[in-house]
Amino acid sequence: MNFSYRHFILFSTIMPVLIVVVTIMSISMGTKSISLETINDAFIRYDKENIDHQIIWSGRLPRALAVLCVGAFLATAGAIMQGITRNFLASPSIMGVTDGSAFFITMAFVFLPGISSFNLVLLSMLGSLFGGALVFGFASIIKNGLSPVRLAIIGTVIGTFISSIGTAIAMYHQISQTITMWYNSKVHMLEMELIYLCVPIGMIGLILALSLARAVTITALGEDVAVGLGQNTRIVKVLSMLAVAILTGTAVALVGKIAFVGLVVPHIVRMLVGVDYRVIIPCSAVMGAFFLAGCDLLSRYINFPFETPIGVVTALIGVPFFLYLIRRKGGEKYAA
Amino acid sequence: MPLNKTKWLFIMGTLFFTLLFAMYIHLTSGVFTMTTPEVFKTLLRIDSTEQFDLVIFDFRLPRIITAALVGMGLAMAGVVLQGITKNALADPGIIGINAGAGCAIVIFMFFFNMELINVEINSLVKILIVPIFGFVGGAIAAAIILVISYKHGRMDMQRLILTGIAINTGFSAVTLFWSLKMDEGDYQAAAIWMNGSIYNSNWYFVNAMLPWLIILGVYIYRKTYLLDYFQLEEETVTSLGISIEKEKIKLMLASVGLVSACVSVSGSIGFIGLMAPHIARQLVGIHHRYMMPVSLFIGAVLLVFSDYVAKTVFSPVELSVGIVVSLVGIPYFLYLLVKSKG
C-alpha cells in the first residue's frame, strides 16, 4: 500500500505541537498583546477584575477554538468530497455547498428574523445539502458533467447564481450590508451561543467522517472495484453527503463563507501521507485546524491594526494553489 | 451560409427600434413619475420646466446612454474574445478581465482618494486616467489567463474558464482587501460601484468612455475579417500570410481596453459579452462583419433593459444591474454548457 508511515509519525508528532503554538500565539497576539504569563494566570487563577483575563476568556479563546474547529470541519469535508467523487477539485466552496448554506441563512435572516440558533444551524445544513444536490444533480444530467473541470465550472457558476439571488433578496429587504458583514468578518464577533451549538454538532460530523474513512478509500479506487469488494456504494455516498452537509453547515453558520480550505488542505495532506483516506481524513482535520488558525493570525497583521477578512487570506493562498492544480493536473485526461 | 442582406437590414432595424423602445420605457419610468407627453416635450425643448430638465437630462438620460454604451462595449469585447479563443463560453466577466480591471481601479481610488460619485466638472482628465489604470489590471488578468491555459500551443476551453473563475476570486479578494482600507466615504463609493451599477452615472462618464469605444471599436471593426479567419485551422490561416499570435494579442488588448473603459464606469458586469454574440450568431450566422453590429445592438438592448429591471422591479429599492444580468446570464451559460459537446 502506498502509504508512508515515517511521514505519518512525523505528522502526528509535529502537528499537535504546531497547533498548540499557533493557538497560544492566537490568544496572545492582536491589537492588544497579552503576555504568556497573563495567559497562564487567566487559566490557572481567573480574576474577574482583570481586563486581560476577560479578553482572553470572552474574545481570544473562543475565537481561537472556533477557527480551529472550522478549519478542521472544512478540510474534512473537502477530503471526503475529493475521495468520493475522485475529483481533485472537489471542495465545499467550489461545489456550491457553502453557497447553499449561506443562501439558506440569508433567507432565514430575511423571513425568519427571530429564528433560534439551533434552527439556524439546521437550516444551514439543509442549505449545504441543497447546494450540493443542485450542483451534482445538474452535473449528472449533462454529458461529462462529472469530470473534474466541468464539475468545478458548474459548481462555481451555480454557486454564484444562488448567492446572486440571495444578494438580490437581501438588497430588497435592505439588509445586504448586514449579510455582507456576516459572511466576511464573522471571526472577531462570534456568538458564544453558536459556538456551544456548532462545535458539538460539527464533532458529530467529524466522527461520521472518520467512520466513513475506510469506505471512502475503497470508493476512491473506483466504482467497479468498490462494488466488487462488496461495498454498498449508495449508502456510502448518502452518508458522505450527510457528513459534508453537517461539517459545512456548522462551519458556515459559525463563521460565514470561507473558501479554499477544503480544496488546499487535503492536497497538502495527500502529498505528505499518501492516498489512504483512513489517514488522509484525520490528518486533514488536524492540518485544516492549523491552516485556518494560521490564516487567522495573518489576517490580523496584513493590515495592522485593522483586521482583514479571513476569507481574503485563504483566497490569496488558495487561488495560486488552485491555478497550480489546474496547470499540473488539468490536462486533457481530466478536462474532457 | 450566405447571408441575405435584406434579412440583415431587417434584423438591424428591428434591434434599433427595440433599443429605442427599451430606452423609452427606461426614460419614462422611475420614482419621479412623468407622463409621456411631458417626456417628449422636455426632450424636444417645448416649454420645458427646470424640474423635468433635471430629471431627464441630468439623471435618466446619461444613465440610459451609459447603459447602452457599456452594453455595446462588453458585447464587442465578448465577440472578440470568443473569436480569438474559439471558445463559445468566453466572456470578459467569466474569464476575470472585469475583476482585474476593477481591482486596479480600486487600488487607484485608494491611493488618489477619488470619489467616483461626485466628479467635478474640470476633472475630466482625472476620469480619463481611471480606464487606463483599469487597462493595466485587465491586461495583467489576461496575461495570467494566457500563461495558465495555453498548453501545447492551444487554449483548452474548460481550463480557460476555470482559470478565469480562479482569477476572478483572487482579484476580488485583493479588491475587498483594498476597499476595506479606504476611509468611509471612499469605501461607500467603491462598494456601490463594484457591484456593477450605473445608477449614479453622469455625462462625464459618457465622455470618458466614448473615445475608448470609438477608437477601439473602429480598430476592432476593421479587423473583423481576422476573426473569421481565426475560425479556420491554424495552418490555413498562416498560409494566408497572417501572423496569428501577433494579431490575436493585439485584438485581445483592444478588447481589454474596451472592458476597462466599461468597468471604470459601471463596475463589473458579466455575461453580456457571453449572451450578445451568441444571440447574434443565431440570428445572422458567423460572419463577423455582420454579426458584430448585431451583437452590439443586442448588448445595448440587454443592458438597458436589465438596468430598467434593476431600477423598477423592487422599486423604490434598486438592485445593482450586475445582479440582474447574472440572474439571466447564468442560466444561459448553463444552457450553453449543456449544449456544448463534452
Side-chain angles (χ1 to χ4, degrees), chain A residues 42 89 119 244 288 335:
Chain A
L89 291 175
N119 285 339
V244 168

Side-chain angles (χ1 to χ4, degrees), chain B residues 294-322:
Chain B
V294 172
S295 51
L296 290 191
F297 270 100
I298 293 174
V301 170
L302 281 176
L303 201 56
V304 172
F305 194 72
S306 302
D307 192 43
Y308 166 74
V309 171
K311 176 169 97 167
T312 50
V313 71
F314 283 160
S315 176
V317 183
E318 291 216 6
L319 290 181
S320 58
V321 65

Side-chain angles (χ1 to χ4, degrees), chain A:
Chain A
M1 177 164 271
N2 185 2
F3 166 61
S4 162
Y5 279 102
R6 216 160 52 101
H7 282 159
F8 177 64
I9 290 165
L10 214 62
F11 189 91
S12 50
T13 42
I14 292 178
M15 280 321 282
V17 180
L18 283 179
I19 285 183
V20 171
V21 170
V22 86
T23 311
I24 293 174
M25 279 166 80
S26 178
I27 293 174
S28 86
M29 292 157 78
T31 22
K32 182 176 194 317
S33 315
I34 296 173
S35 70
L36 290 182
E37 289 163 40
T38 325
I39 297 176
N40 195 29
D41 278 354
F43 279 95
I44 294 168
R45 33 179 186 277
Y46 176 64
D47 176 8
K48 251 191 219 163
E49 306 299 314
N50 190 326
I51 294 178
D52 280 355
H53 289 192
Q54 282 177 8
I55 292 177
I56 289 172
W57 278 101
S58 67
R60 295 276 171 87
L61 190 64
R63 171 177 179 162
L65 289 179
V67 167
L68 286 172
C69 288
V70 167
F73 296 167
L74 288 175
T76 311
I80 290 196
M81 288 176 79
Q82 286 175 15
I84 289 290
T85 60
R86 305 207 296 148
N87 179 338
F88 65 94
L89 291 175
S91 70
S93 58
I94 293 175
M95 302 305 172
V97 180
T98 40
D99 288 307
S101 246
F103 177 68
F104 270 44
I105 289 177
T106 310
M107 293 302 107
F109 267 103
V110 174
F111 297 111
L112 309 162
I115 188 170
S116 73
S117 300
F118 180 72
N119 285 339
L120 192 73
V121 177
L122 214 60
L123 268 183
S124 179
M125 292 178 202
L126 276 180
S128 291
L129 280 177
F130 168 76
L134 209 59
V135 170
F136 283 96
F138 187 84
S140 57
I141 59 168
I142 81 170
K143 204 178 163 197
N144 255 327
L146 290 170
S147 76
V149 177
R150 276 219 151 185
L151 186 59
I153 292 170
I154 294 167
T156 25
V157 171
I158 289 184
T160 317
F161 186 69
I162 301 174
S163 51
S164 295
I165 296 178
T167 315
I169 293 174
M171 271 175 140
Y172 172 58
H173 292 272
Q174 296 185 323
I175 56 164
S176 60
Q177 201 168 10
T178 326
I179 298 277
T180 312
M181 287 284 289
W182 199 87
Y183 289 148
N184 287 323
S185 47
K186 270 282 289 252
V187 186
H188 66 279
M189 39 185 235
L190 288 162
E191 292 160 39
M192 275 315 223
E193 197 189 351
L194 270 178
I195 297 182
Y196 288 137
L197 202 62
C198 287
V199 170
I201 298 179
M203 289 299 168
I204 297 174
L206 269 185
I207 293 167
L208 181 59
L210 286 172
S211 57
L212 283 168
R214 207 182 92 87
V216 173
T217 312
I218 295 171
T219 312
L221 296 173
E223 191 99 358
D224 299 339
V225 181
V227 173
L229 287 171
Q231 176 161 295
N232 188 336
T233 47
R234 184 170 297 163
I235 288 184
V236 171
K237 280 188 177 161
V238 168
L239 286 178
S240 315
M241 203 59 218
L242 191 67
V244 168
I246 294 175
L247 291 165
T248 318
T250 46
V252 176
L254 199 53
V255 296
K257 283 198 261 189
I258 296 179
F260 292 112
V261 182
L263 177 75
V264 173
V265 174
H267 277 279
I268 298 176
V269 169
R270 251 195 308 269
M271 283 175 205
L272 292 174
V273 301
V275 293
D276 188 339
Y277 278 85
R278 282 174 299 176
V279 185
I280 292 176
I281 289 175
C283 288
S284 290
V286 175
M287 181 67 115
F290 172 70
F291 177 79
L292 201 62
C295 288
D296 183 39
L297 264 183
L298 273 180
S299 79
R300 290 181 216 173
Y301 284 96
I302 285 184
N303 188 22
F304 195 77
F306 302 107
E307 284 202 11
T308 308
I310 193 169
V312 171
V313 182
T314 56
L316 291 183
I317 297 172
V319 168
F321 194 85
F322 186 64
L323 289 177
Y324 157 82
L325 286 179
I326 300 170
R327 182 81 191 155
R328 278 295 300 276
K329 291 191 167 184
E332 285 65 26
K333 194 169 74 164
Y334 295 96

